[in-house]
Amino acid sequence: MAQSQSLLPRPMLTTGKQPNALHGSTLNAAFGLELIESALVININTISKHVEQIYVIRNRLMPLIIQTLSERASFSLTVRSIRLLRLLTSRLLSAMNLELEVAIDLINHALDPKASPEWKRVLCLEFFRELHGDTKLLRTIYAQYDEQDGRKCLVSDHLAILVRLAAEKPAVIGLGQQISEAEVQYSLPAEQIAVESGGITGTISTSSFEMSLDKPGLSVQWSTIRTPCMDLIDKSEAPLLPVTYIYVLVLTCMNRFSEGLARFLLPFTIATDSTPKRKRAPASNKHRQQNVESKDDGEGTARMDSAQSVAELPQPGGNLPVNPLGLKEHEQYGQICTSASMVEHCWPALLATSSTFLNASLDSEYVHMLIRSMQKFTQVAGLLDLATPKDAFLTTLAKHAVPTPVGDPSRTPTGNQENSEVDDEEDHIASEIDVSLARDASFRNPREAKLHLTSMTTRNLLCLRALLNLGIALGPVLKGSWTIILETLHQADCILDRHDMKGPRAHPEATFDDHALTTEKDAVETAVSRLFQSMGDLPEQAYLEILDCFSVLAYSVSGLTSQHDRGVHATASGMLSPQAVSPGHRRFPSLHGLNVNKSLAAKDSTRVLDRMGQIAQFNIHRLCRIQSLGSGWSIFVDVFIDHLSSPVTIGDVRMCAARKLNDIFDRLEASASDADIDVQNEITTRCLDALATMISSVWQSNATKSSLNCSLEIHAMGLETLTSVLEQRGQILHSGWEVVFKIVTSAVSTTEQLAAKGAGNISSQATSVPKSPRLVRLSFASLQLICSDFLTVVPDRHFLKLLDTLSVFCSQNQDFNISLTSMAFFRNLSDFLRWENKDLNHALTEANLVEVERDLYAPIDVKGHSLSHPNAWVSLLLHLAQLFMDDRVEVRHSALHTMCGIVDTHGDRLDTQAWILCFQLVFIKLLSATETKFQQKTGAQGNEVSTWDDTAILLVQRLSKIFMQALGIMSVHQTFSNIWTQFLARYAELLGHGSLGLCKTVFAALTEILAASEKRAVNQKLPLDSAWAVWQEHNPSYYDLRGATSNHDALAAYLQYIRQFHGLLDEGFDTDQAEAIMCNLRLCITRSTPVIYGSDLEEMTTVQKLVLEIMKFLPTSSSDTMIKLAEEFAFLVTLAFQTREDQVAKGKTYVALSKAAMAVLEGFVKQHCHGPSTPTAHLLSLSLRALELPLSLKYKWHHGGKGIPAWKLAASTALSLLKPDLLARFKENDSSTQSMWAAIVGISDSIAAADTDDCESTSVISDDQAFDMESFSQLAATIIPTLGSSSIPDNIRRKYAESVFQHSIIHEHHPDDLARPDQGLLDGLRSQHVGRVQDLPPNLRSKMAYVLLDQLFDLVAVHDSSAERIKLAQAAAPYLILRAGLVLKAYVCDHPLRGRMPQPLSQKREMHYVLKQLVDLDSEPKAFPETLGVQSESKKHLFLLFGLVTNALKAARRDGEMSAALRRVLDAVGADFGV
């Protein structure tokens, strides 16, 4: 305690204060701080255990240190304060974290050039250099401050400040000048140069040279000092410092930060269990840490040997490195998380600083230090699985691993615009770098920005080697980042190969150390070799990722696009798109001007393919696996095949890809030569698959003339390889024969392939077009080898494939002799089958038909089954039938004669079962072949489609006749229904091609077959389900005309078929069929084309007649079907009135159909409306709504043609349907009844309404008015008083009354006289407005209006006071008051303005008529609401109009006649009310 207490007075004496316990004089501040430092150093352990001592330091010493740092103190005082702060930070950080936070933040602030002199900034950087040297302390500071909310981010802010410091004076560090190592070493002694060029590491020359303070760039010669400023405690003034010393401190801080992270984290990444690598000793765990920890963190770190530089990293073993973040149970897991957070949040500043120095002039020492720090940080980020910093640093190294063309602005560091995870601080850092570079005028001089390639420098090679060794170290975890390394390696290869280190230089005055460059180049080559060798030991996932990245590189260099979906996206730009790598990857620019000509581009692509060949060489053990999954086999094959198959790729590249693929085949065959038979067969099969893909892909694209020869050579190479494989492995090959046949037939292009490629004028399925006579001969040699030597080896399941192959060579038209020879092989195959039974009928009869159908395309065991089994014979027939489709006369006739000979020889002896087999497996197949031909001709032009239409029509006619002839014979067989179903299925396929002529023929033929089945006494009726399906699914209304003028004939045949089909049904159509028929009939009607030289205006077409005829015998057993049928009739009624004008102009009017449908609808409803279960209300509702449409379009529709207008027919039909006794039946208040009455009201409204403005001739208005008056009167007599039934909603009655009111208007009323929507019905009569003096013309249908006016008075008049009459009166009463009020108010407003002019005659007549009717009317007492004081029963309506009558009387003072009429109204009011 005494010792601790003796320390208490010293801070007080130092600050000039007198202690209370001791007496002494004031000490010199610098001396006092030095004494305090000595005491703290000696007793720091004791002080840290005593709270009172810490209290003194916190309250006495820390304020002094903070004051010294915040003020412009002297050099000696500042040095001692910073030394004390360093000691307190390292030992008492936890005890005084708040005070130290302020002090360290002041240190950060002091680094600002405006805040402190240069020597103070150097002292602050030396302080931080010491902090970076203590990794554990730095982590502690970061955890206590940066990771805590509300605390200052000391470490992050410090690293951000380093970015600004690094780019503070670009000219001082030579930023952008790219001064090489030779330039900054020109003053080294010769002995030193010899030592360093000899590769002796650890040798650092002493500063025996004279310091230069104004040289640009960083060098150990002029950028360092002997003693750090923090150690100059004996100096009272700051020493003279090199101007670049501060940048050395920045570089050292950055280096120590990276090395500290690596030193702490890398030991955690070593797997505890290691698996020995293939053919190599197990990787040492210590070897993984090679060059991770630095023995000297100062700016004078020893130089490393060129052959084993700091950029080298060990090769990975077979185990994946451990991610330290996964060690959650580790005792230091918290420290690991802190370190990971430092990497994740501090990498932008570190990257920006590194980028600045990479563009600066550095000597070899600092270049090694810089690249070492970047490499270690990248390795740490990669092992922590932090993709963004890892990719960012890899990209930066990649940008500097290859030279940028002089003046290329892409060298200028920019912010990452593609990484959404980079925050604003990173953008600010990058922008500061841009600003600093902009100050360098020489760097941005556009006159010097001539784009030409520079040669590789030692710095480029060091960055390249760092990338390569990072690939070796991080190989298992790089994932998509392999792209950065591989593309950089490719670009470096391009420069090294083209310039051989002698190309043009960025600056002519720059000199190179040729020996150092050569040594570094050798080291890079060694690293490349180690990288590719290490790929053989990578885990499977990492190996596949490398292949994916390499394949993307190959596509990028060659400008191709990958045709395979493996998650790899290649572009044609020469570099990867940002999506191809991990998020955060900054895409570095590709080399400008590399591919200046095709020969150089070919070399680039060839070089990448060679590299892939090396990968295959070192991973041949993976490719030899029986299971190719995970071996990368598909990637190799896809890349090589895509390159050799591209017609735009240079021939050298294509041939190189083909040779590389063949080399892989050879290596695989050689590696598997000692394996067992199954392994050899599997590898051979795999090679054959790749060979087939290679050959087929060569011809997938339309090749140009320049690439045609190359494609032929590659194809010939593949065919020769096939022949070689068959000669060597043919006897043991028990699988892959299908691929063999595919390769053999690849010498010719089938019609499907040519059609896919756009070839025209193909008229036969059996035709095969050779690619080259040479290819045909080479492939036919393999076929001859198979048919002569290996026929017994070919598996039975491939017998049909062999027949197909022979058919292909028969159909090729290049070598006619080969076609005939191939045809002869059919006889050889027949001999091989040893067909001994000459009685074909007997052979077919004995065979079980089900077994024949099952085994026809199944393996044919010629050794175990009977040789007379008919399936082989049928197969031959099928192939001959296929050859019958050949375009060449000779081959086609040969096949036709063969097949016809079989039919002539054995057809008359075929019994039921034989006929079944022939139909099922030959004739139906002919239909299938024709259908295939239609598929090939889809989209063809000219006469091709029409020619095959005629052929198909003829085929259908002939087969239909054959079927009718054999119908009686085949119908006794149990499989007859199956034959019929298949026969119809083939016809359906032909119908599916949409040929109207073929459709007509098919349905006409099927109609004849159905008729023949009905007439002939067959033993088994035709199954009708398939026949129904054909009709239901192939409506010709969907077909395009394709040059035909009309689809009328096809539709007629289609409808006649269903009519004949109905004759075969015992019970008629069921409900589902009826619904489908109605749907198809509607399509036939709506999609039928106009009749040629005719019109359906006056007379129905055949299709329309058939539709109505078919609809008549549709079932009506259920109410749903009845309703749907009524809907269809209603649709036909309204069809003419919904037709567009363009269709009418073409002659498609439907007028005759709609008129005829009205009569049919009338008869249908009358026939079914009286049934007990008939939905009569629904039927009437549908019918009346359909009839309402032509009525509503009375004068608006102008296509009526001759005869009675459609609206008059609709009115007559509606009146015929509505009978009083029928309407009286509906007393239920259901939706159907309501809908029916709504439709009736609509009919009434349509009869009363007429837009005379649209009438084409006013001469007909009078007659039409008379017709409507009679119709309305008849309708009113029918529905009144039934309309007043309580089962009918009031709104329907109001709708009827409103309709009567609206159409009873004779003169146009003032718009203000009608109520607004928010007012009552009669509120408009109370409005005030200015009267009108102009004459208002009366309605042209005035007679109809007076009829309706009488109807309105009649509705309100008292009759029998029944409930129905009361409801009708109540509904009409408001409208009667309104109708009379409009007349009176018009007189009140208008007549005074006329002066002495008389009232217009029509208005006068109307008013007198209304007044007379009002006087004569005895209204229903309950029609109007009860009014207080009104005792009258029948004149309540006059009371409601009393005010308007009195006002009208005032206005009529000069009109005696009108005054008299009005007084009669008042007299009636007085008489009735007792006045």
Side-chain angles (χ1 to χ4, degrees):
M1 180 62 71
Q3 183 181 6
S4 63
Q5 290 179 352
S6 63
L7 300 176
L8 296 178
R10 293 178 184 174
M12 301 184 66
L13 293 174
T14 302
T15 57
K17 298 180 181 180
Q18 295 295 329
N20 297 327
L22 299 178
H23 299 282
S25 60
T26 302
L27 297 177
N28 178 270
F31 178 69
L33 290 175
E34 190 171 348
L35 288 178
I36 293 174
E37 180 184 5
S38 300
L40 289 176
V41 169
I42 297 173
N43 302 282
I44 191 64
N45 292 331
T46 304
I47 293 173
S48 63
K49 299 177 182 179
H50 291 272
V51 180
E52 67 278 4
Q53 297 288 1
I54 296 176
Y55 175 80
V56 172
I57 294 174
R58 179 185 297 111
N59 291 277
R60 299 295 185 183
L61 181 58
M62 285 305 300
L64 175 62
I65 294 175
I66 293 173
Q67 180 182 359
T68 303
L69 294 177
S70 60
E71 297 177 352
R72 292 186 175 273
S74 62
F75 174 78
S76 59
L77 191 60
T78 304
V79 168
R80 287 162 175 79
S81 298
I82 292 179
R83 288 171 62 89
L84 281 171
L85 181 61
R86 178 186 62 183
L87 178 62
L88 295 176
T89 302
S90 61
R91 303 304 299 271
L92 300 178
L93 179 63
S94 300
M96 296 187 298
N97 54 9
L98 295 177
E99 291 79 8
L100 290 176
E101 179 183 6
V102 177
I104 297 175
D105 186 59
L106 286 174
I107 295 291
N108 273 332
H109 178 70
L111 293 175
D112 191 343
K114 297 181 181 180
S116 305
E118 190 71 15
W119 59 264
K120 187 173 182 181
R121 299 171 68 197
V122 169
L123 285 174
C124 294
L125 279 176
E126 289 182 349
F127 168 78
F128 277 112
R129 180 181 62 183
E130 298 299 326
L131 289 185
H132 284 293
D134 192 344
T135 307
K136 183 176 181 180
L137 175 61
L138 189 65
R139 290 197 305 271
T140 304
I141 295 175
Y142 186 87
Q144 292 191 8
Y145 298 109
D146 293 64
E147 290 186 334
Q148 302 299 324
D149 296 335
R151 308 300 292 269
K152 294 183 179 296
C153 300
L154 300 180
V155 177
S156 301
D157 292 346
H158 164 65
L159 293 176
I161 293 172
L162 293 185
V163 178
R164 294 192 289 271
L165 288 178
E168 185 177 307
K169 297 178 180 180
V172 173
I173 62 175
L175 188 63
Q177 299 177 9
Q178 294 189 357
I179 300 178
S180 63
E181 291 82 350
E183 294 180 17
V184 298
Q185 293 179 356
Y186 63 88
S187 60
L188 283 177
E191 296 80 4
Q192 182 70 12
I193 293 176
V195 170
E196 295 196 6
S197 63
I200 302 176
T201 60
T203 303
I204 306 175
S205 62
T206 60
S207 300
S208 59
F209 55 90
E210 186 173 336
M211 182 179 298
S212 175
L213 303 178
D214 56 355
K215 294 181 181 294
L218 304 184
S219 172
V220 292
Q221 300 179 45
W222 59 73
S223 301
T224 59
I225 58 178
R226 293 178 181 272
T227 305
C229 291
M230 287 186 63
D231 295 338
L232 298 178
I233 58 177
D234 56 339
K235 302 292 184 180
S236 60
E237 298 294 336
L240 185 62
L241 300 173
V243 69
T244 56
Y245 178 59
I246 191 171
Y247 300 98
V248 172
L249 292 176
V250 173
L251 183 59
T252 305
C253 289
M254 181 185 67
N255 181 56
R256 290 190 175 187
F257 179 80
S258 300
E259 289 186 346
L261 289 173
R263 187 183 305 112
F264 174 70
L265 290 175
L266 289 185
F268 297 107
T269 64
I270 302 174
T272 56
D273 54 338
S274 59
T275 303
K277 294 184 288 186
R278 181 185 56 86
K279 297 183 181 180
R280 195 177 297 138
S284 173
N285 291 338
K286 296 182 179 180
H287 186 50
R288 275 192 182 273
Q289 303 303 322
Q290 178 183 359
N291 300 320
V292 172
E293 297 193 15
S294 175
K295 296 181 180 180
D296 187 0
D297 293 333
E299 57 273 10
T301 305
R303 189 190 312 274
M304 300 189 67
D305 189 356
S306 298
Q308 189 181 358
S309 71
V310 69
E312 292 189 22
L313 287 173
Q315 298 183 20
N319 293 330
L320 284 172
V322 179
N323 187 342
L325 292 177
L327 304 175
K328 296 185 179 180
E329 304 297 330
H330 199 278
E331 59 183 3
Q332 298 191 44
Y333 180 70
Q335 295 287 323
I336 293 174
C337 293
T338 300
S339 300
S341 178
M342 293 172 69
V343 175
E344 186 175 4
H345 294 90
C346 299
W347 72 266
L350 200 65
L351 176 63
T353 308
S354 303
S355 300
T356 302
F357 283 114
L358 279 175
N359 290 282
S361 299
L362 307 176
D363 67 355
S364 178
E365 190 73 38
Y366 293 129
V367 169
H368 280 75
M369 178 190 298
L370 173 62
I371 297 176
R372 178 175 64 245
S373 64
M374 294 183 67
Q375 177 180 307
K376 290 182 178 179
F377 190 87
T378 306
Q379 185 183 9
V380 169
L383 294 173
L384 290 173
D385 198 18
L386 299 176
T388 300
K390 174 194 65 177
D391 290 340
F393 274 81
L394 286 176
T395 303
T396 302
L397 286 173
K399 289 173 61 177
H400 294 84
V402 291
T404 303
V406 176
D408 185 2
S410 62
R411 175 62 75 185
T412 305
T414 59
N416 185 4
Q417 299 178 356
E418 299 173 5
N419 182 13
S420 59
E421 299 180 9
V422 179
D423 55 10
D424 296 337
E425 180 183 3
E426 180 189 0
D427 297 334
H428 174 67
I429 292 170
S431 63
E432 288 190 357
I433 299 175
D434 292 335
V435 173
S436 65
L437 289 176
R439 300 192 188 105
D440 191 353
S442 62
F443 179 75
R444 299 177 62 90
N445 187 358
R447 295 182 180 180
E448 297 178 3
K450 297 179 180 179
L451 295 178
H452 62 272
L453 290 177
T454 61
S455 58
M456 298 285 285
T457 63
T458 306
R459 184 179 303 187
N460 298 137
L461 295 175
L462 282 173
C463 292
L464 177 60
R465 189 145 56 97
L467 275 177
L468 296 175
N469 285 282
L470 279 172
I472 298 173
L474 298 178
V477 296
L478 275 180
K479 301 179 181 178
S481 301
W482 271 108
T483 303
I484 305 174
I485 299 175
L486 297 179
E487 286 198 354
T488 306
L489 175 61
H490 169 69
Q491 294 183 359
D493 283 343
C494 295
I495 298 176
L496 292 173
D497 289 350
R498 294 175 188 176
H499 295 275
D500 197 22
M501 307 301 292
K502 296 179 182 180
R505 296 164 182 168
H507 296 279
E509 65 274 9
T511 60
F512 286 85
D513 186 349
D514 293 337
H515 175 72
L517 289 175
T518 303
T519 304
E520 193 60 37
K521 179 181 177 182
D522 294 339
V524 168
E525 292 177 353
T526 302
V528 171
S529 178
R530 292 174 56 212
L531 176 65
F532 281 91
Q533 290 179 8
S534 66
M535 293 178 185
D537 300 316
L538 289 175
E540 183 175 292
Q541 184 62 31
Y543 163 71
L544 294 178
E545 290 167 353
I546 293 176
L547 287 185
D548 282 343
C549 295
F550 229 124
S551 64
V552 173
L553 176 61
Y555 291 120
S556 176
V557 172
S558 61
L560 301 177
T561 301
S562 174
Q563 303 300 322
H564 311 279
D565 185 10
R566 296 188 307 271
V568 180
H569 307 285
T571 64
S573 62
M575 293 300 297
L576 284 179
S577 60
Q579 292 83 359
V581 295
S582 301
H585 168 218
R586 293 185 179 183
R587 192 177 74 178
F588 55 93
S590 58
L591 293 180
H592 299 278
L594 280 182
N595 296 332
V596 295
N597 55 54
K598 291 186 177 180
S599 61
L600 295 182
K603 290 182 180 179
D604 289 350
S605 297
T606 303
R607 188 177 295 107
V608 176
L609 296 178
D610 288 337
R611 292 294 191 191
M612 289 202 71
Q614 293 180 17
I615 298 178
Q617 176 184 353
F618 290 113
N619 291 274
I620 199 67
H621 60 286
R622 301 182 195 261
L623 300 178
C624 286
R625 298 175 184 171
I626 296 181
Q627 298 294 335
S628 61
L629 184 63
S631 66
W633 169 260
S634 60
I635 299 178
F636 284 113
V637 172
D638 292 344
V639 172
F640 288 133
I641 288 179
D642 285 345
H643 282 76
L644 64 87
S645 62
S646 173
V648 299
T649 306
I650 300 176
D652 293 342
V653 178
R654 300 179 66 189
M655 294 302 298
C656 175
R659 285 192 294 269
K660 291 297 177 183
L661 192 57
N662 281 319
D663 289 343
I664 294 178
F665 295 160
D666 295 339
R667 291 181 183 274
L668 284 176
E669 293 291 344
S671 300
S673 59
D674 297 333
D676 56 21
I677 299 299
D678 292 337
V679 175
Q680 293 184 40
N681 187 76
E682 177 63 28
I683 293 176
T684 302
T685 303
R686 190 184 307 166
C687 293
L688 288 174
D689 290 335
L691 186 62
T693 305
M694 178 187 76
I695 292 176
S696 61
S697 61
V698 171
W699 304 102
Q700 285 181 354
S701 301
N702 293 323
T704 59
K705 292 182 179 180
S706 59
S707 62
L708 181 59
N709 292 333
C710 182
S711 299
L712 292 174
E713 288 296 328
I714 295 174
H715 196 160
M717 185 186 303
L719 294 176
E720 292 173 352
T721 303
L722 173 63
T723 304
S724 176
V725 169
L726 289 176
E727 291 175 349
Q728 296 177 9
R729 306 280 177 137
Q731 293 293 344
I732 65 171
L733 187 63
H734 57 80
S735 63
W737 280 101
E738 184 177 359
V739 180
V740 171
F741 291 127
K742 179 181 179 181
I743 298 174
V744 171
T745 56
S746 65
V748 292
S749 296
T750 62
T751 55
E752 290 85 353
Q753 295 170 332
L754 291 176
K757 293 167 66 175
N761 297 325
I762 301 174
S763 58
S764 176
Q765 181 186 9
T767 299
S768 299
V769 181
K771 300 182 177 73
S772 169
R774 178 191 173 194
L775 297 181
V776 174
R777 290 190 290 269
L778 288 174
S779 58
F780 189 69
S782 299
L783 182 60
Q784 283 183 313
L785 189 64
I786 295 171
C787 293
S788 59
D789 296 340
F790 302 123
L791 197 57
T792 56
V793 183
V794 177
D796 297 329
R797 64 180 178 274
H798 296 301
F799 175 77
L800 292 177
K801 187 62 180 177
L802 181 56
L803 291 177
D804 293 338
T805 305
L806 288 174
S807 298
V808 168
F809 279 88
C810 288
S811 62
Q812 59 84 27
N813 54 12
Q814 186 67 36
D815 193 324
F816 185 70
N817 292 329
I818 290 180
S819 297
L820 296 181
T821 305
S822 301
M823 187 72 70
F825 279 127
F826 277 102
R827 298 187 180 275
N828 293 346
L829 292 177
S830 179
D831 295 338
F832 175 73
L833 292 174
R834 295 191 299 276
W835 191 284
E836 297 179 352
N837 195 333
K838 298 181 181 180
D839 190 353
L840 177 61
N841 186 54
H842 176 71
L844 292 174
T845 304
E846 288 185 350
N848 184 281
L849 184 59
V850 178
E851 182 182 358
V852 171
E853 291 185 280
R854 185 182 65 249
D855 294 343
L856 178 60
Y857 294 102
I860 303 173
D861 189 357
V862 297
K863 297 180 180 179
H865 282 282
S866 173
L867 295 181
S868 61
H869 200 288
N871 52 6
W873 176 76
V874 176
S875 299
L876 289 173
L877 287 181
L878 289 175
H879 283 81
L880 290 173
Q882 188 178 27
L883 291 174
F884 169 72
M885 309 296 288
D886 195 278
D887 289 337
R888 291 172 298 168
V889 176
E890 296 83 0
V891 176
R892 183 172 65 246
H893 285 185
S894 177
L896 178 61
H897 289 316
T898 303
M899 188 166 52
C900 289
I902 295 175
V903 175
D904 292 339
T905 304
H906 307 287
D908 57 345
R909 293 183 294 168
L910 294 178
D911 61 358
T912 301
Q913 192 169 0
W915 272 112
I916 290 290
L917 183 62
C918 289
F919 261 97
Q920 185 173 5
L921 303 178
V922 179
F923 298 147
I924 292 178
K925 296 301 179 182
L926 282 177
L927 289 172
S928 298
T930 306
E931 191 272 338
T932 302
K933 178 62 66 175
F934 270 107
Q935 289 182 353
Q936 296 172 357
K937 298 301 179 182
T938 301
Q941 303 296 329
N943 296 326
E944 294 183 47
V945 177
S946 61
T947 300
W948 277 97
D949 277 349
D950 297 338
T951 302
I953 290 172
L954 182 60
L955 180 63
V956 169
Q957 291 174 346
R958 294 294 303 272
L959 289 183
S960 298
K961 291 180 179 179
I962 294 175
F963 189 88
M964 285 188 289
Q965 293 175 0
L967 182 61
I969 301 175
M970 292 190 299
S971 61
V972 300
H973 199 276
Q974 59 182 357
T975 61
F976 171 69
S977 60
N978 185 30
I979 292 295
W980 169 248
T981 302
Q982 294 187 41
F983 195 70
L984 289 177
R986 301 292 83 78
Y987 275 8
E989 290 176 354
L990 293 176
L991 290 172
H993 292 284
S995 172
L996 290 174
L998 183 58
C999 176
K1000 173 188 174 183
T1001 304
V1002 169
F1003 281 113
L1006 290 177
T1007 302
E1008 292 179 0
I1009 293 176
L1010 294 181
S1013 175
E1014 184 178 8
K1015 293 179 180 179
R1016 298 181 182 180
V1018 296
N1019 295 328
Q1020 184 179 168
K1021 293 189 64 176
L1022 290 175
L1024 298 180
D1025 292 340
S1026 300
W1028 162 254
V1030 171
W1031 187 88
Q1032 182 183 11
E1033 298 173 3
H1034 297 89
N1035 192 331
S1037 61
Y1038 288 107
Y1039 296 173
D1040 296 331
L1041 292 180
R1042 295 183 183 179
T1045 56
S1046 175
N1047 62 359
H1048 191 269
D1049 293 339
L1051 290 174
Y1054 177 74
L1055 296 174
Q1056 289 170 355
Y1057 172 83
I1058 195 62
R1059 184 176 61 178
Q1060 181 63 45
F1061 180 85
H1062 177 263
L1064 298 179
L1065 299 176
D1066 296 333
E1067 299 179 357
F1069 296 112
D1070 58 24
T1071 303
D1072 294 337
Q1073 289 177 334
E1075 293 179 1
I1077 290 174
M1078 285 186 281
C1079 179
N1080 282 340
L1081 292 181
R1082 175 179 288 199
L1083 292 174
C1084 291
I1085 288 292
T1086 57
R1087 298 196 176 195
S1088 62
T1089 57
V1091 181
I1092 303 175
Y1093 307 115
S1095 174
D1096 61 350
L1097 184 63
E1098 304 296 338
E1099 184 179 358
M1100 290 188 294
T1101 64
T1102 304
V1103 171
Q1104 294 171 357
K1105 292 178 181 178
L1106 286 172
V1107 167
L1108 286 180
E1109 181 182 353
I1110 294 171
M1111 291 180 68
K1112 289 179 181 179
F1113 56 73
L1114 290 179
T1116 57
S1117 56
S1118 65
S1119 59
D1120 292 338
T1121 306
M1122 191 180 303
I1123 291 174
K1124 291 181 179 179
L1125 188 56
E1127 290 176 349
E1128 293 303 317
F1129 284 126
F1131 169 76
L1132 296 180
V1133 169
T1134 61
L1135 184 59
F1137 311 98
Q1138 297 175 343
T1139 306
R1140 300 192 308 268
E1141 292 296 331
D1142 58 341
Q1143 294 181 341
V1144 174
K1146 296 178 181 179
K1148 192 175 180 180
T1149 64
Y1150 302 112
V1151 174
L1153 175 63
S1154 293
K1155 291 180 179 180
M1158 293 180 189
V1160 176
L1161 178 62
E1162 178 183 356
F1164 175 79
V1165 175
K1166 288 182 177 180
Q1167 179 183 357
H1168 298 91
C1169 65
H1170 298 287
S1173 61
T1174 301
T1176 307
H1178 202 157
L1179 293 180
L1180 286 174
S1181 175
L1182 290 173
S1183 303
L1184 294 176
R1185 290 196 179 277
L1187 295 170
E1188 181 184 353
L1189 179 60
L1191 271 172
S1192 63
L1193 299 175
K1194 187 173 299 179
Y1195 291 142
K1196 296 180 181 179
W1197 187 72
H1198 307 291
H1199 307 292
K1202 300 178 181 180
I1204 302 175
W1207 65 270
K1208 288 187 177 181
L1209 289 177
S1212 300
T1213 303
L1215 293 174
S1216 176
L1217 292 176
L1218 296 175
K1219 300 298 180 181
D1221 56 340
L1222 180 63
L1223 296 179
R1225 293 170 50 190
F1226 305 107
K1227 298 181 180 181
E1228 296 82 4
N1229 188 11
D1230 54 8
S1231 60
S1232 299
T1233 304
Q1234 295 178 10
S1235 177
M1236 180 196 69
W1237 278 107
I1240 293 174
V1241 171
I1243 291 290
S1244 173
D1245 182 77
S1246 299
I1247 292 175
D1251 191 352
T1252 57
D1253 294 338
D1254 293 328
C1255 183
E1256 293 180 338
S1257 176
T1258 57
S1259 61
V1260 300
I1261 294 179
S1262 178
D1263 294 338
D1264 293 344
Q1265 181 179 216
F1267 178 84
D1268 286 340
M1269 293 168 59
E1270 181 181 358
S1271 299
F1272 182 81
S1273 300
Q1274 182 180 352
L1275 179 63
T1278 302
I1279 65 176
I1280 301 299
T1282 310
L1283 184 60
S1285 174
S1286 59
S1287 63
I1288 301 175
D1290 293 337
N1291 63 324
I1292 295 179
R1293 280 184 290 271
R1294 284 195 299 270
K1295 183 67 176 177
Y1296 176 76
E1298 181 182 1
S1299 173
V1300 173
F1301 160 77
Q1302 288 179 348
H1303 301 302
S1304 69
I1305 300 296
I1306 299 175
H1307 297 90
E1308 183 181 2
H1309 53 76
H1310 195 281
D1312 292 341
D1313 292 342
L1314 293 182
R1316 296 191 301 271
D1318 58 341
Q1319 294 179 334
L1321 182 64
L1322 302 178
D1323 290 345
L1325 297 177
R1326 301 184 181 93
S1327 65
Q1328 300 294 327
H1329 60 78
V1330 179
R1332 297 170 294 181
V1333 295
Q1334 69 273 18
D1335 291 342
L1336 299 177
N1339 190 347
L1340 294 180
R1341 290 165 57 94
S1342 300
K1343 294 181 180 180
M1344 184 68 189
Y1346 279 107
V1347 170
L1348 295 173
L1349 183 59
D1350 291 341
Q1351 176 67 19
L1352 194 60
F1353 277 99
D1354 183 71
L1355 289 175
V1356 180
V1358 61
H1359 292 280
D1360 55 1
S1361 297
S1362 62
E1364 290 83 359
R1365 284 292 183 177
I1366 292 175
K1367 286 187 175 292
L1368 287 173
Q1370 290 175 345
Y1375 292 100
L1376 175 64
I1377 299 300
L1378 179 61
R1379 179 68 177 86
L1382 290 175
V1383 175
L1384 292 172
K1385 186 176 180 182
Y1387 184 82
V1388 170
C1389 295
D1390 297 346
H1391 192 67
L1393 300 179
R1394 297 190 182 101
R1396 294 184 180 275
M1397 293 183 62
Q1399 185 181 12
L1401 184 60
S1402 61
Q1403 295 183 21
K1404 183 177 181 180
R1405 176 190 174 191
E1406 179 187 10
M1407 188 168 178
H1408 278 288
Y1409 187 82
V1410 169
L1411 293 176
K1412 181 179 182 302
Q1413 291 293 99
L1414 288 174
V1415 172
D1416 296 341
L1417 175 66
D1418 290 333
S1419 62
E1420 175 66 38
K1422 296 182 180 180
F1424 298 96
E1426 295 293 337
T1427 305
L1428 183 63
V1430 178
Q1431 301 298 326
S1432 175
E1433 293 292 336
S1434 61
K1435 301 296 183 180
K1436 291 182 180 180
H1437 59 281
L1438 296 179
F1439 177 78
L1440 296 176
L1441 295 171
F1442 182 78
L1444 288 174
V1445 173
T1446 56
N1447 291 335
L1449 184 62
K1450 295 177 182 179
R1453 64 180 182 272
R1454 295 179 181 178
D1455 188 349
E1457 185 179 359
M1458 187 60 65
S1459 297
L1462 291 169
R1463 287 191 182 95
R1464 282 194 296 272
V1465 175
L1466 293 178
D1467 293 342
V1469 173
D1472 196 67
F1473 288 91
V1475 178

